[in-house]
Amino acid sequence: MNKRWRDIAGCVSAILFMASCSVVAQQQPDAAAVVRGVDSSVKNRIDRLASYTVTEHYAVYRGKDETHQAADMVVKTTYRKETGKSYEVVSQSGGAVWRNEVLGTLLDNEKRMSQPSNVGTALINSSNYDMKLDANIHEQFNGRDCLVLDITPKHNSQYLFKGKLWVDAQDFAIVQLKGTASKSAFFLASAAEVVRQYDKMSGLPMATHAQAVSGSSLLGQTVVKIDYTDYQLQLTPGS
């Protein structure tokens, strides 16, 4: 091989080596940087979001029957940073036990958690969670490139979950949470297994769908599905 071809081969080898290094770097992001990115994204949402309204559709199912609803409720939710959430029930159906004990308690808990004095204890950030990159770091979800983290609560709370967190690989916005509550709500015998999905609206991650599965000696297995539609967001001035 003459010198010219050796030089070309050397350049190609160098390019391939750099490309392989780039792939490795993409597959092994810096864990501390990812956690800082998640914290920054969560803080950005808190800082920018002044208020919003959303229509929430709650459906309750008993046992493994997810065809026939035990209860149904449509709620118009209003959130204001200064006061938290308030609810207006638009429609409801089903047994009083399911509407009052399950959905009523769920709404009360959400309202209490959203109050300014409590909201910080439920945030998905490094103050409330230990976060580590999952063994399968990269994953596609709803057409988005995501990083996957294993999350463990630093204290027991029905608002915190042990499980996995999917965040956008570009800006670290939350895409999906899947886990088990670290503490049961008072009316449940077992902690809820929760899935919550998010999409970007005005550049901020907002919940679009959620599901909670729990069990009790009184009610048996209960599945609650929530769909969030018709968001109207009000951002802070200058954000």
Side-chain angles (χ1 to χ4, degrees):
M1 182 183 294
N2 62 37
K3 184 177 184 303
R4 178 187 177 191
W5 288 111
R6 283 199 301 270
D7 290 343
I8 292 174
C11 290
V12 171
S13 297
I15 292 170
L16 291 175
F17 175 76
M18 287 186 292
S20 66
C21 290
S22 176
V23 171
V24 170
Q26 181 185 24
Q27 293 176 342
Q28 301 292 336
D30 179 71
V34 173
V35 173
R36 288 194 298 270
V38 174
D39 284 352
S40 178
S41 175
V42 171
K43 184 178 185 302
N44 178 62
R45 184 183 186 277
I46 292 294
D47 290 344
R48 294 184 60 201
L49 190 58
S51 65
Y52 67 82
T53 59
V54 61
T55 300
E56 301 179 354
H57 180 196
Y58 293 78
V60 180
Y61 301 89
R62 299 181 62 181
K64 297 182 179 180
D65 182 1
E66 296 188 20
T67 303
H68 304 93
Q69 296 179 2
D72 181 273
M73 184 181 289
V74 177
V75 175
K76 183 69 172 291
T77 299
T78 299
Y79 166 82
R80 293 185 176 87
K81 183 184 293 188
E82 299 82 6
T83 56
K85 290 182 179 180
S86 60
Y87 297 97
E88 175 190 351
V89 177
V90 177
S91 65
Q92 58 183 325
S93 63
V97 170
W98 303 101
R99 289 186 285 108
N100 297 332
E101 297 302 322
V102 177
L103 296 182
T105 301
L106 179 59
L107 292 176
D108 286 344
N109 287 342
E110 286 287 311
K111 181 177 181 179
R112 183 164 52 253
M113 181 272 292
S114 71
Q115 293 173 352
S117 59
N118 296 329
V119 69
T121 64
L123 295 177
I124 305 173
N125 60 17
S126 61
S127 294
N128 293 321
Y129 288 93
D130 288 318
M131 299 182 178
K132 298 180 180 179
L133 294 176
D134 188 69
N136 298 315
I137 302 171
H138 291 276
E139 188 171 315
Q140 287 278 322
F141 185 82
N142 286 345
R144 298 169 69 179
D145 292 323
C146 295
L147 300 174
V148 186
L149 298 97
D150 298 320
I151 58 174
T152 304
K154 292 182 175 179
H155 54 271
N156 286 332
S157 169
Q158 65 191 72
Y159 306 122
L160 301 181
F161 306 91
K162 178 179 175 60
K164 295 184 184 297
L165 182 68
W166 286 253
V167 299
D168 190 290
Q170 300 301 315
D171 63 7
F172 308 107
I174 296 172
V175 176
Q176 180 177 244
L177 166 72
K178 183 181 292 185
T180 302
S182 63
K183 182 180 180 181
S184 301
F186 73 89
F187 65 94
L188 299 175
S190 64
E193 297 178 3
V194 172
V195 177
R196 191 180 298 146
Q197 297 167 357
Y198 299 78
D199 203 355
K200 286 184 182 179
M201 300 177 193
S202 299
L204 303 178
M206 306 297 295
T208 56
H209 177 75
Q211 176 174 304
V213 180
S214 58
S216 75
S217 57
L218 175 63
L219 302 177
Q221 178 173 288
T222 302
V223 179
V224 180
K225 296 184 179 182
I226 313 167
D227 289 304
Y228 305 82
T229 58
D230 302 324
Y231 274 100
Q232 299 293 326
L233 275 61
Q234 180 67 46
L235 304 183
T236 56
S239 67

